[in-house]
Amino acid sequence: MNLTPRQQEIIDIIDAQGQASISKVKELLSSDASIPTLNRDMAKLVETNYLIKLGAGRSIVYVITPYYQLFAPINASDYFDLDPDMREANTAFNHDLLSSLEGISIFTDQELTALQKLKQEYQTNITSLSPVLYQKELERLTIELSWKSSQIEGNTYTLLETERLFREKQEADNKTKEEAIMLLNHKAVVTYLMDHKDLAKTLDLHTLEEIHSLLIKDLNVGRNIRSRAVGITGTAYKPLDNDYQIRENLELMCELINSKDNGFEKALLAVVLISYIQPFEDGNKRTGRMISNALLIADDACPLSYRSVDSLDYKKAMLLFYEQNNLAAFKTIFIEQNEFGVKNYFR
């Protein structure tokens, strides 16, 4: 829903007050509005799940919903014009986040309908391909997913250099050995996921650690859940530094994801929450992307390559989730990449 300036001000007032009656909102509005007008505005905000109406009669008050907190509009350009320490960011891990996501539908009915149509289109496409053409398309997806996922992490291989590495086993000049290993590890994970399509039917810690181990093989990165603090470049957000709490929240995350009925919700939650919890000393976002794809594969949906995503836009969307627990920007990327995948692979 696109909010009018008055509707946004109503939400801002209620957010600042914690809860507010319609008379309190009228009192604090910067411009005059009649009670009937405010009633219409607030009824619309309740209808769109931005506000909750509590009480009855003269005791009615309104509060902000968790859904609005998750998808509140943020001007990313203005937000990231500020240095990390100047932004009004949540710097500590939000222990209430996972429980707040339990009763929230991540996608609107319209979005789910569109995603389900894309899934059906993908299934139709792959059934019409010969085994040879299917393998060629899978190879192309593997190359492009491995390249883009690695590029997001700062890998400097080009797409063509990645293709040559995979097909001819030739490393690029003036690149580090670690960059080639990162790419080849991605390839190994994609192959593993396609060979074990039911791997993420039920998500658990063993699967997370298994995929992470494959991604960081020979990269001198610890394999187990970390027991020390980590910092994230470009943000003041500090993930948990206690291995017991990290494990506990990973288990809660798995329970949350397994409780969802829709594969797209599972996949979106996995990619952002694994990145948010940061359970490993390195390779967290890579693990999030690949676990997310494991969930899509288990649901017979098209895996995402993220090929058309600008790496900076991806990072900004993830930082908005870290700092504001706001999913709007990343949900847009996720939906766009589902469409991109279905329209560009296995056709």
Side-chain angles (χ1 to χ4, degrees), residues 149 153 186 189 193 203 205 207-216 250 253 270-271 274-275 279-280 282-295 314:
S149 181
E153 303 310 313
H186 274 86
V189 171
L193 295 182
L203 189 61
L205 264 62
T207 302
L208 294 177
E209 292 177 322
E210 184 178 20
I211 297 304
H212 175 257
S213 294
L214 290 171
L215 284 168
I216 53 89
L250 282 177
M253 180 200 74
V271 69
I274 293 170
S275 300
F280 308 109
D282 197 14
N284 293 289
K285 292 193 296 295
R286 278 169 273 166
T287 303
R289 286 188 289 274
M290 301 311 286
I291 290 293
S292 177
N293 272 330
L295 288 159
Y314 183 102

PDB file of all heavy atoms in Angstrom, residues 149 153 186 189 193 203 205 207-216 250 253 270-271 274-275 279-280 282-295 314:
ATOM      1  N   SER A 149      27.159 -15.103  -6.582  1.00  0.00           N
ATOM      2  CA  SER A 149      27.251 -15.276  -5.136  1.00  0.00           C
ATOM      3  C   SER A 149      28.651 -14.942  -4.648  1.00  0.00           C
ATOM      4  O   SER A 149      28.824 -14.324  -3.589  1.00  0.00           O
ATOM      5  CB  SER A 149      26.876 -16.709  -4.747  1.00  0.00           C
ATOM      6  OG  SER A 149      26.942 -16.886  -3.346  1.00  0.00           O
ATOM      7  N   GLU A 153      30.499 -11.368  -2.436  1.00  0.00           N
ATOM      8  CA  GLU A 153      31.473 -11.475  -1.342  1.00  0.00           C
ATOM      9  C   GLU A 153      32.821 -10.855  -1.688  1.00  0.00           C
ATOM     10  O   GLU A 153      33.783 -11.022  -0.940  1.00  0.00           O
ATOM     11  CB  GLU A 153      31.657 -12.939  -0.956  1.00  0.00           C
ATOM     12  CG  GLU A 153      30.378 -13.644  -0.555  1.00  0.00           C
ATOM     13  CD  GLU A 153      29.580 -12.875   0.474  1.00  0.00           C
ATOM     14  OE1 GLU A 153      30.173 -12.413   1.464  1.00  0.00           O
ATOM     15  OE2 GLU A 153      28.352 -12.717   0.284  1.00  0.00           O
ATOM     16  N   HIS A 186      31.219 -23.325  -4.603  1.00  0.00           N
ATOM     17  CA  HIS A 186      29.826 -23.065  -4.983  1.00  0.00           C
ATOM     18  C   HIS A 186      29.331 -24.131  -5.964  1.00  0.00           C
ATOM     19  O   HIS A 186      28.215 -24.651  -5.825  1.00  0.00           O
ATOM     20  CB  HIS A 186      29.695 -21.682  -5.629  1.00  0.00           C
ATOM     21  CG  HIS A 186      29.512 -20.556  -4.667  1.00  0.00           C
ATOM     22  ND1 HIS A 186      30.566 -19.909  -4.073  1.00  0.00           N
ATOM     23  CD2 HIS A 186      28.392 -19.950  -4.190  1.00  0.00           C
ATOM     24  CE1 HIS A 186      30.106 -18.954  -3.283  1.00  0.00           C
ATOM     25  NE2 HIS A 186      28.784 -18.963  -3.332  1.00  0.00           N
ATOM     26  N   VAL A 189      28.495 -27.276  -4.230  1.00  0.00           N
ATOM     27  CA  VAL A 189      27.254 -27.206  -3.462  1.00  0.00           C
ATOM     28  C   VAL A 189      26.037 -27.319  -4.378  1.00  0.00           C
ATOM     29  O   VAL A 189      25.078 -28.039  -4.060  1.00  0.00           O
ATOM     30  CB  VAL A 189      27.192 -25.906  -2.630  1.00  0.00           C
ATOM     31  CG1 VAL A 189      25.810 -25.730  -2.011  1.00  0.00           C
ATOM     32  CG2 VAL A 189      28.246 -25.944  -1.527  1.00  0.00           C
ATOM     33  N   LEU A 193      23.202 -30.122  -4.067  1.00  0.00           N
ATOM     34  CA  LEU A 193      21.784 -29.823  -3.853  1.00  0.00           C
ATOM     35  C   LEU A 193      20.911 -30.458  -4.930  1.00  0.00           C
ATOM     36  O   LEU A 193      19.820 -30.964  -4.635  1.00  0.00           O
ATOM     37  CB  LEU A 193      21.562 -28.308  -3.826  1.00  0.00           C
ATOM     38  CG  LEU A 193      22.204 -27.526  -2.678  1.00  0.00           C
ATOM     39  CD1 LEU A 193      21.850 -26.049  -2.774  1.00  0.00           C
ATOM     40  CD2 LEU A 193      21.783 -28.093  -1.322  1.00  0.00           C
ATOM     41  N   LEU A 203      14.376 -28.512   7.540  1.00  0.00           N
ATOM     42  CA  LEU A 203      15.660 -27.858   7.772  1.00  0.00           C
ATOM     43  C   LEU A 203      16.143 -28.108   9.190  1.00  0.00           C
ATOM     44  O   LEU A 203      15.365 -28.040  10.147  1.00  0.00           O
ATOM     45  CB  LEU A 203      15.514 -26.351   7.523  1.00  0.00           C
ATOM     46  CG  LEU A 203      16.806 -25.527   7.504  1.00  0.00           C
ATOM     47  CD1 LEU A 203      17.740 -25.992   6.391  1.00  0.00           C
ATOM     48  CD2 LEU A 203      16.481 -24.046   7.335  1.00  0.00           C
ATOM     49  N   LEU A 205      20.048 -28.057  11.877  1.00  0.00           N
ATOM     50  CA  LEU A 205      21.399 -27.528  12.035  1.00  0.00           C
ATOM     51  C   LEU A 205      22.424 -28.350  11.268  1.00  0.00           C
ATOM     52  O   LEU A 205      23.399 -27.805  10.741  1.00  0.00           O
ATOM     53  CB  LEU A 205      21.779 -27.481  13.520  1.00  0.00           C
ATOM     54  CG  LEU A 205      21.570 -26.150  14.220  1.00  0.00           C
ATOM     55  CD1 LEU A 205      20.099 -25.756  14.216  1.00  0.00           C
ATOM     56  CD2 LEU A 205      22.097 -26.188  15.650  1.00  0.00           C
ATOM     57  N   THR A 207      22.111 -29.776   8.394  1.00  0.00           N
ATOM     58  CA  THR A 207      22.112 -29.345   6.994  1.00  0.00           C
ATOM     59  C   THR A 207      22.834 -28.012   6.838  1.00  0.00           C
ATOM     60  O   THR A 207      23.619 -27.820   5.900  1.00  0.00           O
ATOM     61  CB  THR A 207      20.674 -29.234   6.466  1.00  0.00           C
ATOM     62  OG1 THR A 207      20.021 -30.503   6.595  1.00  0.00           O
ATOM     63  CG2 THR A 207      20.651 -28.807   5.003  1.00  0.00           C
ATOM     64  N   LEU A 208      22.584 -27.081   7.757  1.00  0.00           N
ATOM     65  CA  LEU A 208      23.277 -25.792   7.709  1.00  0.00           C
ATOM     66  C   LEU A 208      24.783 -25.982   7.774  1.00  0.00           C
ATOM     67  O   LEU A 208      25.538 -25.389   6.978  1.00  0.00           O
ATOM     68  CB  LEU A 208      22.831 -24.911   8.877  1.00  0.00           C
ATOM     69  CG  LEU A 208      21.383 -24.423   8.913  1.00  0.00           C
ATOM     70  CD1 LEU A 208      21.139 -23.621  10.182  1.00  0.00           C
ATOM     71  CD2 LEU A 208      21.061 -23.580   7.696  1.00  0.00           C
ATOM     72  N   GLU A 209      25.235 -26.774   8.715  1.00  0.00           N
ATOM     73  CA  GLU A 209      26.672 -26.976   8.903  1.00  0.00           C
ATOM     74  C   GLU A 209      27.278 -27.749   7.737  1.00  0.00           C
ATOM     75  O   GLU A 209      28.429 -27.492   7.336  1.00  0.00           O
ATOM     76  CB  GLU A 209      26.925 -27.703  10.223  1.00  0.00           C
ATOM     77  CG  GLU A 209      26.576 -26.842  11.433  1.00  0.00           C
ATOM     78  CD  GLU A 209      26.755 -27.555  12.756  1.00  0.00           C
ATOM     79  OE1 GLU A 209      26.453 -28.770  12.822  1.00  0.00           O
ATOM     80  OE2 GLU A 209      27.198 -26.908  13.725  1.00  0.00           O
ATOM     81  N   GLU A 210      26.507 -28.647   7.168  1.00  0.00           N
ATOM     82  CA  GLU A 210      26.977 -29.430   6.020  1.00  0.00           C
ATOM     83  C   GLU A 210      27.217 -28.532   4.811  1.00  0.00           C
ATOM     84  O   GLU A 210      28.275 -28.597   4.163  1.00  0.00           O
ATOM     85  CB  GLU A 210      25.938 -30.503   5.692  1.00  0.00           C
ATOM     86  CG  GLU A 210      26.336 -31.457   4.586  1.00  0.00           C
ATOM     87  CD  GLU A 210      25.280 -32.521   4.342  1.00  0.00           C
ATOM     88  OE1 GLU A 210      24.104 -32.307   4.739  1.00  0.00           O
ATOM     89  OE2 GLU A 210      25.615 -33.548   3.747  1.00  0.00           O
ATOM     90  N   ILE A 211      26.258 -27.682   4.496  1.00  0.00           N
ATOM     91  CA  ILE A 211      26.394 -26.787   3.347  1.00  0.00           C
ATOM     92  C   ILE A 211      27.508 -25.761   3.595  1.00  0.00           C
ATOM     93  O   ILE A 211      28.309 -25.461   2.699  1.00  0.00           O
ATOM     94  CB  ILE A 211      25.060 -26.077   3.044  1.00  0.00           C
ATOM     95  CG1 ILE A 211      23.991 -27.095   2.655  1.00  0.00           C
ATOM     96  CG2 ILE A 211      25.235 -25.030   1.954  1.00  0.00           C
ATOM     97  CD1 ILE A 211      24.365 -27.992   1.491  1.00  0.00           C
ATOM     98  N   HIS A 212      27.581 -25.243   4.815  1.00  0.00           N
ATOM     99  CA  HIS A 212      28.653 -24.295   5.135  1.00  0.00           C
ATOM    100  C   HIS A 212      30.020 -24.954   4.969  1.00  0.00           C
ATOM    101  O   HIS A 212      30.946 -24.348   4.401  1.00  0.00           O
ATOM    102  CB  HIS A 212      28.491 -23.785   6.577  1.00  0.00           C
ATOM    103  CG  HIS A 212      29.609 -22.897   7.013  1.00  0.00           C
ATOM    104  ND1 HIS A 212      30.619 -23.329   7.860  1.00  0.00           N
ATOM    105  CD2 HIS A 212      29.898 -21.603   6.704  1.00  0.00           C
ATOM    106  CE1 HIS A 212      31.471 -22.346   8.060  1.00  0.00           C
ATOM    107  NE2 HIS A 212      31.062 -21.294   7.380  1.00  0.00           N
ATOM    108  N   SER A 213      30.166 -26.186   5.415  1.00  0.00           N
ATOM    109  CA  SER A 213      31.450 -26.887   5.296  1.00  0.00           C
ATOM    110  C   SER A 213      31.868 -27.044   3.842  1.00  0.00           C
ATOM    111  O   SER A 213      33.054 -26.896   3.506  1.00  0.00           O
ATOM    112  CB  SER A 213      31.366 -28.263   5.966  1.00  0.00           C
ATOM    113  OG  SER A 213      31.182 -28.146   7.353  1.00  0.00           O
ATOM    114  N   LEU A 214      30.919 -27.324   2.974  1.00  0.00           N
ATOM    115  CA  LEU A 214      31.229 -27.445   1.549  1.00  0.00           C
ATOM    116  C   LEU A 214      31.651 -26.098   0.959  1.00  0.00           C
ATOM    117  O   LEU A 214      32.553 -26.031   0.123  1.00  0.00           O
ATOM    118  CB  LEU A 214      30.023 -27.990   0.788  1.00  0.00           C
ATOM    119  CG  LEU A 214      29.656 -29.460   1.043  1.00  0.00           C
ATOM    120  CD1 LEU A 214      28.311 -29.792   0.404  1.00  0.00           C
ATOM    121  CD2 LEU A 214      30.741 -30.395   0.522  1.00  0.00           C
ATOM    122  N   LEU A 215      31.012 -25.035   1.404  1.00  0.00           N
ATOM    123  CA  LEU A 215      31.307 -23.706   0.859  1.00  0.00           C
ATOM    124  C   LEU A 215      32.660 -23.167   1.296  1.00  0.00           C
ATOM    125  O   LEU A 215      33.281 -22.374   0.574  1.00  0.00           O
ATOM    126  CB  LEU A 215      30.205 -22.722   1.272  1.00  0.00           C
ATOM    127  CG  LEU A 215      28.881 -22.821   0.516  1.00  0.00           C
ATOM    128  CD1 LEU A 215      27.801 -22.012   1.224  1.00  0.00           C
ATOM    129  CD2 LEU A 215      29.039 -22.344  -0.923  1.00  0.00           C
ATOM    130  N   ILE A 216      33.126 -23.543   2.462  1.00  0.00           N
ATOM    131  CA  ILE A 216      34.383 -22.970   2.974  1.00  0.00           C
ATOM    132  C   ILE A 216      35.538 -23.971   2.905  1.00  0.00           C
ATOM    133  O   ILE A 216      36.614 -23.722   3.451  1.00  0.00           O
ATOM    134  CB  ILE A 216      34.207 -22.419   4.409  1.00  0.00           C
ATOM    135  CG1 ILE A 216      33.614 -23.457   5.377  1.00  0.00           C
ATOM    136  CG2 ILE A 216      33.315 -21.202   4.387  1.00  0.00           C
ATOM    137  CD1 ILE A 216      34.611 -24.322   6.072  1.00  0.00           C
ATOM    138  N   LEU A 250      19.525 -20.448  15.981  1.00  0.00           N
ATOM    139  CA  LEU A 250      19.482 -21.250  14.762  1.00  0.00           C
ATOM    140  C   LEU A 250      18.399 -22.315  14.850  1.00  0.00           C
ATOM    141  O   LEU A 250      17.677 -22.570  13.874  1.00  0.00           O
ATOM    142  CB  LEU A 250      20.835 -21.909  14.509  1.00  0.00           C
ATOM    143  CG  LEU A 250      21.942 -21.036  13.916  1.00  0.00           C
ATOM    144  CD1 LEU A 250      23.230 -21.846  13.800  1.00  0.00           C
ATOM    145  CD2 LEU A 250      21.549 -20.485  12.549  1.00  0.00           C
ATOM    146  N   MET A 253      15.168 -20.638  14.421  1.00  0.00           N
ATOM    147  CA  MET A 253      15.005 -20.290  13.012  1.00  0.00           C
ATOM    148  C   MET A 253      14.536 -21.498  12.211  1.00  0.00           C
ATOM    149  O   MET A 253      13.625 -21.395  11.376  1.00  0.00           O
ATOM    150  CB  MET A 253      16.324 -19.767  12.453  1.00  0.00           C
ATOM    151  CG  MET A 253      16.254 -19.364  10.985  1.00  0.00           C
ATOM    152  SD  MET A 253      17.873 -19.298  10.198  1.00  0.00           S
ATOM    153  CE  MET A 253      18.229 -21.055  10.020  1.00  0.00           C
ATOM    154  N   ALA A 270      15.099 -17.939   5.161  1.00  0.00           N
ATOM    155  CA  ALA A 270      16.409 -18.572   5.343  1.00  0.00           C
ATOM    156  C   ALA A 270      17.539 -17.645   4.908  1.00  0.00           C
ATOM    157  O   ALA A 270      18.541 -17.489   5.628  1.00  0.00           O
ATOM    158  CB  ALA A 270      16.474 -19.883   4.565  1.00  0.00           C
ATOM    159  N   VAL A 271      17.400 -17.030   3.750  1.00  0.00           N
ATOM    160  CA  VAL A 271      18.520 -16.224   3.242  1.00  0.00           C
ATOM    161  C   VAL A 271      18.782 -15.007   4.124  1.00  0.00           C
ATOM    162  O   VAL A 271      19.943 -14.631   4.348  1.00  0.00           O
ATOM    163  CB  VAL A 271      18.276 -15.824   1.759  1.00  0.00           C
ATOM    164  CG1 VAL A 271      17.144 -14.826   1.613  1.00  0.00           C
ATOM    165  CG2 VAL A 271      19.549 -15.272   1.141  1.00  0.00           C
ATOM    166  N   ILE A 274      19.761 -16.419   8.251  1.00  0.00           N
ATOM    167  CA  ILE A 274      21.102 -16.974   8.407  1.00  0.00           C
ATOM    168  C   ILE A 274      22.129 -15.848   8.351  1.00  0.00           C
ATOM    169  O   ILE A 274      23.084 -15.810   9.140  1.00  0.00           O
ATOM    170  CB  ILE A 274      21.382 -18.046   7.337  1.00  0.00           C
ATOM    171  CG1 ILE A 274      20.489 -19.266   7.566  1.00  0.00           C
ATOM    172  CG2 ILE A 274      22.861 -18.458   7.353  1.00  0.00           C
ATOM    173  CD1 ILE A 274      20.510 -20.280   6.442  1.00  0.00           C
ATOM    174  N   SER A 275      21.921 -14.912   7.454  1.00  0.00           N
ATOM    175  CA  SER A 275      22.824 -13.758   7.366  1.00  0.00           C
ATOM    176  C   SER A 275      22.740 -12.908   8.620  1.00  0.00           C
ATOM    177  O   SER A 275      23.753 -12.378   9.099  1.00  0.00           O
ATOM    178  CB  SER A 275      22.479 -12.918   6.134  1.00  0.00           C
ATOM    179  OG  SER A 275      22.613 -13.676   4.949  1.00  0.00           O
ATOM    180  N   PRO A 279      26.013 -17.256  12.028  1.00  0.00           N
ATOM    181  CA  PRO A 279      26.446 -18.338  12.920  1.00  0.00           C
ATOM    182  C   PRO A 279      27.901 -18.770  12.757  1.00  0.00           C
ATOM    183  O   PRO A 279      28.467 -19.382  13.674  1.00  0.00           O
ATOM    184  CB  PRO A 279      25.507 -19.487  12.549  1.00  0.00           C
ATOM    185  CG  PRO A 279      25.083 -19.195  11.138  1.00  0.00           C
ATOM    186  CD  PRO A 279      25.014 -17.711  11.046  1.00  0.00           C
ATOM    187  N   PHE A 280      28.516 -18.444  11.628  1.00  0.00           N
ATOM    188  CA  PHE A 280      29.865 -18.924  11.359  1.00  0.00           C
ATOM    189  C   PHE A 280      30.840 -17.743  11.286  1.00  0.00           C
ATOM    190  O   PHE A 280      30.434 -16.591  11.121  1.00  0.00           O
ATOM    191  CB  PHE A 280      29.892 -19.703  10.044  1.00  0.00           C
ATOM    192  CG  PHE A 280      28.844 -20.788   9.976  1.00  0.00           C
ATOM    193  CD1 PHE A 280      27.740 -20.656   9.143  1.00  0.00           C
ATOM    194  CD2 PHE A 280      28.959 -21.922  10.758  1.00  0.00           C
ATOM    195  CE1 PHE A 280      26.766 -21.650   9.082  1.00  0.00           C
ATOM    196  CE2 PHE A 280      27.997 -22.922  10.715  1.00  0.00           C
ATOM    197  CZ  PHE A 280      26.896 -22.788   9.873  1.00  0.00           C
ATOM    198  N   ASP A 282      32.833 -17.041   8.943  1.00  0.00           N
ATOM    199  CA  ASP A 282      32.819 -16.506   7.576  1.00  0.00           C
ATOM    200  C   ASP A 282      31.915 -17.400   6.734  1.00  0.00           C
ATOM    201  O   ASP A 282      31.635 -18.545   7.096  1.00  0.00           O
ATOM    202  CB  ASP A 282      34.227 -16.462   6.995  1.00  0.00           C
ATOM    203  CG  ASP A 282      34.329 -15.563   5.767  1.00  0.00           C
ATOM    204  OD1 ASP A 282      33.377 -14.783   5.530  1.00  0.00           O
ATOM    205  OD2 ASP A 282      35.344 -15.643   5.048  1.00  0.00           O
ATOM    206  N   GLY A 283      31.444 -16.861   5.607  1.00  0.00           N
ATOM    207  CA  GLY A 283      30.618 -17.649   4.696  1.00  0.00           C
ATOM    208  C   GLY A 283      29.143 -17.671   5.039  1.00  0.00           C
ATOM    209  O   GLY A 283      28.394 -18.518   4.533  1.00  0.00           O
ATOM    210  N   ASN A 284      28.689 -16.726   5.856  1.00  0.00           N
ATOM    211  CA  ASN A 284      27.292 -16.738   6.300  1.00  0.00           C
ATOM    212  C   ASN A 284      26.314 -16.404   5.177  1.00  0.00           C
ATOM    213  O   ASN A 284      25.315 -17.109   4.991  1.00  0.00           O
ATOM    214  CB  ASN A 284      27.114 -15.766   7.467  1.00  0.00           C
ATOM    215  CG  ASN A 284      27.855 -16.221   8.703  1.00  0.00           C
ATOM    216  OD1 ASN A 284      27.472 -17.183   9.346  1.00  0.00           O
ATOM    217  ND2 ASN A 284      28.952 -15.540   9.026  1.00  0.00           N
ATOM    218  N   LYS A 285      26.583 -15.332   4.436  1.00  0.00           N
ATOM    219  CA  LYS A 285      25.651 -14.952   3.364  1.00  0.00           C
ATOM    220  C   LYS A 285      25.647 -16.002   2.261  1.00  0.00           C
ATOM    221  O   LYS A 285      24.596 -16.294   1.682  1.00  0.00           O
ATOM    222  CB  LYS A 285      26.012 -13.569   2.824  1.00  0.00           C
ATOM    223  CG  LYS A 285      25.774 -12.436   3.814  1.00  0.00           C
ATOM    224  CD  LYS A 285      25.824 -11.072   3.173  1.00  0.00           C
ATOM    225  CE  LYS A 285      27.193 -10.731   2.600  1.00  0.00           C
ATOM    226  NZ  LYS A 285      28.231 -10.616   3.657  1.00  0.00           N
ATOM    227  N   ARG A 286      26.816 -16.572   1.963  1.00  0.00           N
ATOM    228  CA  ARG A 286      26.867 -17.659   0.981  1.00  0.00           C
ATOM    229  C   ARG A 286      26.008 -18.835   1.456  1.00  0.00           C
ATOM    230  O   ARG A 286      25.236 -19.408   0.675  1.00  0.00           O
ATOM    231  CB  ARG A 286      28.312 -18.132   0.797  1.00  0.00           C
ATOM    232  CG  ARG A 286      29.143 -17.279  -0.149  1.00  0.00           C
ATOM    233  CD  ARG A 286      30.610 -17.658  -0.071  1.00  0.00           C
ATOM    234  NE  ARG A 286      31.288 -16.919   0.989  1.00  0.00           N
ATOM    235  CZ  ARG A 286      32.491 -17.234   1.460  1.00  0.00           C
ATOM    236  NH1 ARG A 286      33.128 -18.287   0.997  1.00  0.00           N
ATOM    237  NH2 ARG A 286      33.050 -16.496   2.400  1.00  0.00           N
ATOM    238  N   THR A 287      26.151 -19.190   2.719  1.00  0.00           N
ATOM    239  CA  THR A 287      25.355 -20.292   3.263  1.00  0.00           C
ATOM    240  C   THR A 287      23.867 -19.959   3.195  1.00  0.00           C
ATOM    241  O   THR A 287      23.045 -20.814   2.846  1.00  0.00           O
ATOM    242  CB  THR A 287      25.766 -20.586   4.713  1.00  0.00           C
ATOM    243  OG1 THR A 287      27.164 -20.886   4.756  1.00  0.00           O
ATOM    244  CG2 THR A 287      24.978 -21.751   5.284  1.00  0.00           C
ATOM    245  N   GLY A 288      23.514 -18.720   3.511  1.00  0.00           N
ATOM    246  CA  GLY A 288      22.119 -18.302   3.436  1.00  0.00           C
ATOM    247  C   GLY A 288      21.549 -18.454   2.037  1.00  0.00           C
ATOM    248  O   GLY A 288      20.430 -18.966   1.853  1.00  0.00           O
ATOM    249  N   ARG A 289      22.311 -18.023   1.030  1.00  0.00           N
ATOM    250  CA  ARG A 289      21.823 -18.119  -0.351  1.00  0.00           C
ATOM    251  C   ARG A 289      21.658 -19.576  -0.779  1.00  0.00           C
ATOM    252  O   ARG A 289      20.682 -19.933  -1.458  1.00  0.00           O
ATOM    253  CB  ARG A 289      22.781 -17.383  -1.301  1.00  0.00           C
ATOM    254  CG  ARG A 289      22.684 -15.879  -1.218  1.00  0.00           C
ATOM    255  CD  ARG A 289      23.486 -15.190  -2.303  1.00  0.00           C
ATOM    256  NE  ARG A 289      24.926 -15.290  -2.105  1.00  0.00           N
ATOM    257  CZ  ARG A 289      25.659 -14.466  -1.364  1.00  0.00           C
ATOM    258  NH1 ARG A 289      25.068 -13.484  -0.714  1.00  0.00           N
ATOM    259  NH2 ARG A 289      26.964 -14.609  -1.266  1.00  0.00           N
ATOM    260  N   MET A 290      22.604 -20.410  -0.383  1.00  0.00           N
ATOM    261  CA  MET A 290      22.531 -21.805  -0.834  1.00  0.00           C
ATOM    262  C   MET A 290      21.477 -22.604  -0.067  1.00  0.00           C
ATOM    263  O   MET A 290      20.808 -23.472  -0.645  1.00  0.00           O
ATOM    264  CB  MET A 290      23.908 -22.454  -0.716  1.00  0.00           C
ATOM    265  CG  MET A 290      24.996 -21.746  -1.536  1.00  0.00           C
ATOM    266  SD  MET A 290      24.534 -21.396  -3.256  1.00  0.00           S
ATOM    267  CE  MET A 290      24.639 -23.025  -3.959  1.00  0.00           C
ATOM    268  N   ILE A 291      21.307 -22.334   1.213  1.00  0.00           N
ATOM    269  CA  ILE A 291      20.217 -22.984   1.955  1.00  0.00           C
ATOM    270  C   ILE A 291      18.872 -22.524   1.403  1.00  0.00           C
ATOM    271  O   ILE A 291      17.922 -23.319   1.270  1.00  0.00           O
ATOM    272  CB  ILE A 291      20.323 -22.680   3.455  1.00  0.00           C
ATOM    273  CG1 ILE A 291      21.529 -23.397   4.074  1.00  0.00           C
ATOM    274  CG2 ILE A 291      19.044 -23.064   4.194  1.00  0.00           C
ATOM    275  CD1 ILE A 291      21.417 -24.915   4.106  1.00  0.00           C
ATOM    276  N   SER A 292      18.766 -21.253   1.076  1.00  0.00           N
ATOM    277  CA  SER A 292      17.541 -20.736   0.462  1.00  0.00           C
ATOM    278  C   SER A 292      17.244 -21.476  -0.836  1.00  0.00           C
ATOM    279  O   SER A 292      16.100 -21.874  -1.098  1.00  0.00           O
ATOM    280  CB  SER A 292      17.694 -19.232   0.204  1.00  0.00           C
ATOM    281  OG  SER A 292      16.560 -18.712  -0.450  1.00  0.00           O
ATOM    282  N   ASN A 293      18.272 -21.698  -1.639  1.00  0.00           N
ATOM    283  CA  ASN A 293      18.075 -22.446  -2.881  1.00  0.00           C
ATOM    284  C   ASN A 293      17.726 -23.903  -2.607  1.00  0.00           C
ATOM    285  O   ASN A 293      16.936 -24.505  -3.335  1.00  0.00           O
ATOM    286  CB  ASN A 293      19.326 -22.351  -3.762  1.00  0.00           C
ATOM    287  CG  ASN A 293      19.299 -21.127  -4.665  1.00  0.00           C
ATOM    288  OD1 ASN A 293      18.223 -20.677  -5.065  1.00  0.00           O
ATOM    289  ND2 ASN A 293      20.452 -20.577  -4.976  1.00  0.00           N
ATOM    290  N   ALA A 294      18.310 -24.478  -1.550  1.00  0.00           N
ATOM    291  CA  ALA A 294      17.949 -25.852  -1.182  1.00  0.00           C
ATOM    292  C   ALA A 294      16.463 -25.949  -0.869  1.00  0.00           C
ATOM    293  O   ALA A 294      15.794 -26.929  -1.230  1.00  0.00           O
ATOM    294  CB  ALA A 294      18.782 -26.299   0.016  1.00  0.00           C
ATOM    295  N   LEU A 295      15.929 -24.940  -0.204  1.00  0.00           N
ATOM    296  CA  LEU A 295      14.502 -24.921   0.128  1.00  0.00           C
ATOM    297  C   LEU A 295      13.644 -24.754  -1.127  1.00  0.00           C
ATOM    298  O   LEU A 295      12.583 -25.373  -1.241  1.00  0.00           O
ATOM    299  CB  LEU A 295      14.222 -23.792   1.125  1.00  0.00           C
ATOM    300  CG  LEU A 295      14.757 -24.055   2.544  1.00  0.00           C
ATOM    301  CD1 LEU A 295      14.914 -22.747   3.313  1.00  0.00           C
ATOM    302  CD2 LEU A 295      13.831 -25.005   3.294  1.00  0.00           C
ATOM    303  N   TYR A 314      22.040  -5.477  -3.278  1.00  0.00           N
ATOM    304  CA  TYR A 314      21.882  -6.665  -2.441  1.00  0.00           C
ATOM    305  C   TYR A 314      22.375  -6.369  -1.026  1.00  0.00           C
ATOM    306  O   TYR A 314      21.695  -6.663  -0.035  1.00  0.00           O
ATOM    307  CB  TYR A 314      22.659  -7.824  -3.053  1.00  0.00           C
ATOM    308  CG  TYR A 314      22.508  -9.139  -2.306  1.00  0.00           C
ATOM    309  CD1 TYR A 314      21.657 -10.133  -2.781  1.00  0.00           C
ATOM    310  CD2 TYR A 314      23.230  -9.400  -1.138  1.00  0.00           C
ATOM    311  CE1 TYR A 314      21.517 -11.344  -2.108  1.00  0.00           C
ATOM    312  CE2 TYR A 314      23.095 -10.600  -0.456  1.00  0.00           C
ATOM    313  CZ  TYR A 314      22.244 -11.566  -0.946  1.00  0.00           C
ATOM    314  OH  TYR A 314      22.113 -12.751  -0.261  1.00  0.00           O
TER     315      TYR A 314
END
